[in-house]
Amino acid sequence: MAMPAKSSELTRARVRSAWLFLSPMLVVLALIAGWPLLRTIYFSFTDASLSSISDYQFIGFANFLEYYEGEWYGVIADPDWWRAVYNTLWFTVMSVSLELVLGMIIALTLNAAFPGRGMLRAAILIPWAIPTIVSAQMWGWMLHDQFGVLNEILMTFGIISSPVAWTASPDTALWAVVMVDVWKTTPFMALLILAALQMLPSDCYEAARVDGINPVKVFFKVTLPLIRPALMVAIIFRALDALRIFDLIYVLTSNSRDTMSMSVYARQQLVDFQDVGYGSAASTLLFLIIAILVIITLTAGRVRLGEDAR
C-alpha cells in the first residue's frame, strides 16, 4: 500500500519541477505573444488611428458590425473581408492538400535504401531553407509575363502560344501563389512524414512480406494508420501557416482584391488606411477563425499534441 503513495509523491514532485522549469518560458511567451494579442483585441473596440494612436474612444462593436441610417458597416459587412476569407481558406485547402500528397511521395521515396539518399535528403530542404520573401521575389521574376523564364519554357515546348501574366490575371494569380507555396513548403511536410516513417516497427512489414500481402494494401492498412498522428500534426502546423499567409501573396500580387488574404486585408486597413481600430477588428476575427478551425481539426482528428507522434 506504501508504494502507490510513494509513486504519487514522486509524480507530483516531477510535475512541480516541470512547471518550475517551464515558468520562465511561459512568462516570456505571455509578454511577447499574449500582450500584443490582448492589445489588438482592445484596439478593435476603439476608433484609434495610426496618426493619433494615443487619442481614441471606446466605440464597442462598431468596427465589427454596426447598423447606421439603414446601412450595415464594419468588417463583417464588408464584401472585401469575406472575399479575403474565401481566398485564405481556398489557398489553405489547396496548398496543404498538394503538399500532403507530394510530401508523402517524397517521404516514401527517401525512406527506401538507395545510393546518395543522404545527399538527396539535404538537397530537397533547399527550397524550405530559402526565406519566404526571397522565394516570392525570385518566383515573381520567373513568372513575369515579359521577362519570366517560365513563359519561355512553355512557349518553347508549344504548351502556350503567347506569354501569360501569371500573377496579374485573376484566373491564374491565386494558382501561382499556391504553386510557389507548394514548391517552398513541401520539403517541410516530407521531413515530418519521413521522421514518422523511420520510427515504424519493421516486424509488421517483415510479416506482411512473408505472407505475400500487396505493398499497396500494406500502405493503406498498416503504414497510414500508424503515422496518422504525425500526419495530423503536420497538417495542423501547415494549415496554421497557410491561414496567416501574408508575405508570399503580398509580394507576388500586392493588394489585389482577387488574391487578398485575411492578413493582407488587415495590413491594408492598419497601414494603408491608418485605421488601427478597424484593422485590429480584422486581426481579431482572423485570430478567432484560426482558433476555431484548429479546435475543430483537433477534435475531429482526435489528436493530442502531447502524445508521441507514433
Side-chain angles (χ1 to χ4, degrees):
M1 295 296 291
M3 289 301 292
K6 185 177 180 180
S7 175
S8 177
E9 178 59 33
L10 180 61
T11 302
R12 286 196 291 269
R14 287 178 174 174
V15 171
R16 285 196 296 270
S17 299
W19 280 108
L20 182 63
F21 285 113
L22 283 174
S23 55
M25 183 272 293
L26 293 176
V27 171
V28 173
L29 190 62
L31 291 175
I32 64 174
W35 170 246
L37 175 62
L38 293 176
R39 190 165 175 79
T40 300
I41 296 174
Y42 173 74
F43 272 126
S44 68
F45 297 104
T46 70
D47 62 352
S49 66
L50 203 59
S51 58
S52 57
I53 193 68
S54 59
D55 183 18
Y56 55 82
Q57 292 183 342
F58 187 78
I59 59 173
F61 288 90
N63 286 323
F64 294 94
L65 189 64
E66 182 185 31
Y67 189 73
Y68 181 71
E69 294 184 352
E71 295 286 343
W72 288 101
Y73 297 93
V75 177
I76 297 177
D78 188 352
D80 287 348
W81 164 253
W82 290 110
R83 181 60 186 262
V85 173
Y86 171 79
N87 288 340
T88 307
L89 295 179
W90 186 90
F91 169 81
T92 301
V93 172
M94 294 306 298
S95 61
V96 175
S97 299
L98 290 172
E99 289 160 13
L100 179 62
V101 174
L102 295 175
M104 177 67 76
I105 294 172
I106 294 173
L108 289 172
T109 303
L110 294 179
N111 196 42
F114 59 88
R117 182 176 62 170
M119 185 176 295
L120 187 59
R121 284 180 181 176
I124 66 162
L125 291 176
I126 292 175
W128 184 51
I130 298 175
T132 304
I133 193 75
V134 177
S135 300
Q137 195 64 48
M138 180 181 71
W139 275 97
W141 279 106
M142 292 174 66
L143 295 170
H144 196 277
D145 56 340
Q146 296 182 9
F147 314 110
V149 66
L150 185 63
N151 278 325
E152 287 293 330
I153 295 174
L154 295 178
M155 290 173 66
T156 301
F157 287 99
I159 298 175
I160 59 175
S161 57
S162 59
V164 177
W166 298 100
T167 57
S169 170
D171 298 328
T172 58
L174 208 50
W175 278 109
V177 176
V178 169
M179 181 189 69
V180 177
D181 187 71
V182 169
W183 172 83
K184 176 172 172 50
T185 52
T186 294
F188 173 75
M189 186 74 81
L191 196 64
L192 293 180
I193 298 174
L194 179 61
L197 288 174
Q198 293 192 331
M199 296 175 71
L200 294 179
S202 59
D203 51 349
C204 296
Y205 296 95
E206 291 175 0
R209 193 179 302 112
V210 171
D211 294 339
I213 301 177
N214 189 303
V216 177
K217 190 175 182 180
V218 172
F219 173 74
F220 285 103
K221 296 292 184 181
V222 178
T223 304
L224 272 185
L226 288 176
I227 65 173
R228 190 187 67 86
L231 284 179
M232 292 302 299
V233 171
I235 291 172
I236 291 172
F237 281 2
R238 275 301 304 133
L240 284 174
D241 254 351
L243 285 169
R244 55 188 177 83
I245 181 73
F246 171 76
D247 39 10
L248 200 57
I249 288 181
Y250 186 73
V251 172
L252 286 175
T253 64
S254 191
N255 284 331
S256 172
R257 184 177 299 177
D258 296 317
T259 59
M260 184 180 290
S261 67
M262 291 187 285
S263 297
V264 174
Y265 176 92
R267 181 262 173 201
Q268 185 185 55
Q269 304 300 325
L270 281 166
V271 179
D272 293 350
F273 303 154
Q274 300 196 358
D275 195 338
V276 175
Y278 198 91
S280 297
S283 300
T284 302
L285 288 176
L286 169 61
F287 166 74
L288 292 176
I289 290 173
I290 293 177
I292 291 171
L293 290 178
V294 170
I295 291 172
I296 291 174
T297 305
L298 289 175
T299 304
R302 291 178 294 178
V303 176
R304 295 178 182 176
L305 294 178
E307 288 183 344
D308 194 326
R310 290 176 297 171

